[in-house]
Amino acid sequence: QVRLAESGGGSVQAGGSLRLSCGASGFPESTTLMAWFRQAPGKDREAVAAIWARSTPWTRYSDSVDDRFVISLDKGRNRLYLHLDKLKSEDTAMYYCALSTYGLVWDDRTKYDYWGQGTQVTVEV
């Protein structure tokens, strides 16, 4: 059974930084992608960043966070990270960790099999 658990959220002033962490238990060998999504109140869940989990990793970012967020994967510890920098009020949302065992399209949320419960990030102006 795969379980994902996020941590590291909180309240931060605009311009500040946070590091989100996602622990994955039961990490499947078939994992293709791991990603961070976010959902603000009244909005759809959107992809933020993803990393290819197989032999040669690559990363993808949404235009709204490019150059400010960095995703990384420690396969030895089965932990996914998202470093958030230069935070803006519009980054306020619940952030979710997701894992896919077959997906190839990084920002398609329907291709992710497993999800965490989320961690709240609030950016105060």
Side-chain angles (χ1 to χ4, degrees):
Q1 181 71 21
V2 177
R3 304 190 74 170
L4 304 176
E6 303 94 336
S7 61
S11 295
V12 63
Q13 293 291 317
S17 301
L18 281 174
R19 189 179 78 158
L20 307 183
S21 178
C22 173
S25 60
F27 193 90
E29 288 293 322
S30 57
T31 299
T32 55
L33 287 165
M34 291 198 74
W36 289 94
F37 285 72
R38 68 184 180 187
Q39 188 167 18
K43 295 189 176 182
D44 290 336
R45 190 170 298 190
E46 64 170 349
V48 173
I51 186 165
W52 181 251
R54 292 196 174 173
S55 57
T56 305
W58 46 258
T59 58
R60 294 291 185 271
Y61 298 91
S62 69
D63 290 342
S64 62
V65 307
D66 198 18
D67 293 334
R68 299 189 299 119
F69 292 6
V70 178
I71 189 171
S72 60
L73 176 64
D74 184 339
K75 295 183 74 174
R77 296 186 176 185
N78 291 346
R79 296 199 74 85
L80 181 72
Y81 299 97
L82 185 68
H83 184 82
L84 298 75
D85 197 18
K86 301 176 184 176
L87 283 161
K88 305 175 182 179
S89 58
E90 52 262 45
D91 295 319
T92 294
M94 185 72 79
Y95 283 71
Y96 297 91
C97 171
L99 183 150
S100 175
T101 59
Y102 68 100
L104 300 177
V105 181
W106 74 275
D107 56 353
D108 184 348
R109 64 182 180 180
T110 67
K111 297 297 189 289
Y112 288 84
D113 313 68
Y114 302 99
W115 294 83
Q117 293 299 307
T119 186
Q120 178 69 35
V121 172
T122 302
V123 182
E124 300 171 348
V125 178

